[in-house]
Amino acid sequence: MLRIRRFEEEVQALRAEGQIVGSVHLGIGQEAIPTGVVGETQRERDVVVATYRGHGWAVACGSDLASLFAELAGRQFGVNGGRGGSAFFSDAEHGFLGENSIVGGGAPIGVGAALAARYDGSGRVAVVCFGDGALNQGAVHEALNFAAVLRAPVVFVVENNHYSELTPIAEMVRIERLVDRAAAYGIPAERLDGNDVEAVRDAAGAAILLARGGGGPVLLEMQTQRLVGHYIGDSEQYRRPGELDEARRAEPIVRLQQTLRASGASDGTLAAIAD
């Protein structure tokens, strides 16, 4: 989680310096989700499809950090020769099938990768991540239904940071729990605290095991919150007073530090990890 956090902070700084240009979406505050989920995959065969806020997923998959920085900076030795940029790069060598700048556009791609496992004998599971707003996209509903009918080995991860770009998700749907939509397709689902990396790991492990064993798709709704704007330069005027202060107290790295201290870890140990 710290590696993802440091990477994103450096990207933020490079964007401010002009070394990175174009639209950049950071996942600062959401690090527990890619860390916990990817930690339960089998990296030699499973694949991940992310949103345009997907740097952390690529880092969790093991992508080379220098090559990722190069890609975001438009350099020729980036993972895609500098042509993918921040919001549309991939690294298939590390099982990262890529980000997608189309909201929800990665869902059918991930289902296709999962369906291919039926024919290539790989035993692959595909992990598809998208935001809360993507659950209002038609392609996502088609992907959910298609995966359910064909029992495709895919785990859908909803990173619910409570904002669909600049609009609260509560103003866009009439249901309180997005996870309840999965029942319409006959897909088992769970809603959990996406800032608790251990809870994320446990839920992801069970979902991946079910999918790999022929149980079909699973949907996990992870509650989290980004500590930065939707994009670099976002004034965030839509946030209520005190919201970010609350989020910083509950963010995943602070949460895990508190857990480790309670279990006996010293400040020196935590500082060494940070270094």
Side-chain angles (χ1 to χ4, degrees):
M1 291 195 296
L2 281 167
R3 185 178 294 113
I4 294 171
R5 176 69 59 87
R6 299 292 183 261
F7 180 88
E8 294 284 68
E9 289 173 342
E10 188 65 18
V11 169
Q12 190 174 32
L14 290 171
R15 178 66 177 82
E17 295 171 6
Q19 295 292 329
I20 294 174
V21 298
S23 183
V24 176
H25 301 80
L26 302 174
I28 293 175
Q30 301 183 186
E31 297 88 353
I33 300 175
T35 299
V37 173
V38 175
E40 290 299 307
T41 61
Q42 295 181 6
R43 297 310 315 136
E44 68 277 7
R45 57 177 173 174
D46 295 338
V47 295
V48 171
V49 183
T51 71
Y52 49 74
R53 198 182 307 281
H55 305 158
W57 288 90
V59 173
C61 285
S63 292
D64 176 69
L65 299 188
S67 297
L68 289 181
F69 280 124
E71 183 59 37
L72 272 58
R75 304 296 179 85
Q76 64 180 359
F77 51 90
V79 289
N80 302 132
R83 296 183 296 271
S86 173
F88 201 67
F89 70 86
S90 60
D91 185 5
E93 290 185 4
H94 290 91
F96 184 70
L97 295 190
E99 300 180 310
N100 204 301
S101 290
I102 299 173
V103 175
I109 295 171
V111 174
L115 185 60
R118 182 173 298 171
Y119 304 101
D120 64 17
S122 65
R124 175 191 310 110
V125 170
V127 173
V128 180
C129 124
F130 45 81
D132 44 282
L135 270 179
N136 293 333
Q137 293 291 98
V140 172
H141 288 276
E142 293 172 13
L144 289 167
N145 186 63
F146 193 69
V149 170
L150 296 179
R151 302 182 75 84
V154 56
V155 176
F156 296 101
V157 177
V158 183
E159 292 180 299
N160 186 356
N161 60 27
H162 305 286
Y163 284 103
S164 301
E165 295 190 348
L166 316 181
T167 306
I169 186 63
E171 296 180 9
M172 300 176 64
V173 297
R174 292 187 64 178
I175 59 173
E176 179 182 348
R177 293 161 37 93
L178 298 179
V179 70
D180 293 339
R181 289 186 171 183
Y185 302 105
I187 296 176
E190 182 179 354
R191 188 190 205 205
L192 62 141
D193 183 351
N195 286 350
D196 182 341
V197 68
E198 294 179 321
V200 172
R201 180 195 61 194
D202 292 344
I208 291 168
L209 185 65
L210 179 65
R212 200 184 311 278
V218 180
L219 185 143
L220 301 174
E221 180 190 349
M222 310 266 188
Q223 303 287 303
T224 187
Q225 195 161 17
R226 51 178 166 79
L227 302 179
V228 292
H230 172 65
Y231 54 88
I232 291 181
D234 177 7
S235 63
E236 302 184 71
Q237 293 180 358
Y238 47 84
R239 291 191 187 271
R240 60 177 172 76
E243 180 180 312
L244 275 177
D245 291 334
E246 294 175 10
R248 291 188 184 102
R249 289 191 290 270
E251 59 105 331
I253 292 175
V254 167
R255 179 84 61 84
L256 186 55
Q257 288 173 336
Q258 292 171 343
T259 300
L260 291 173
R261 284 192 179 96
S263 65
S266 68
D267 287 343
T269 297
L270 297 180
I273 293 171
D275 287 343

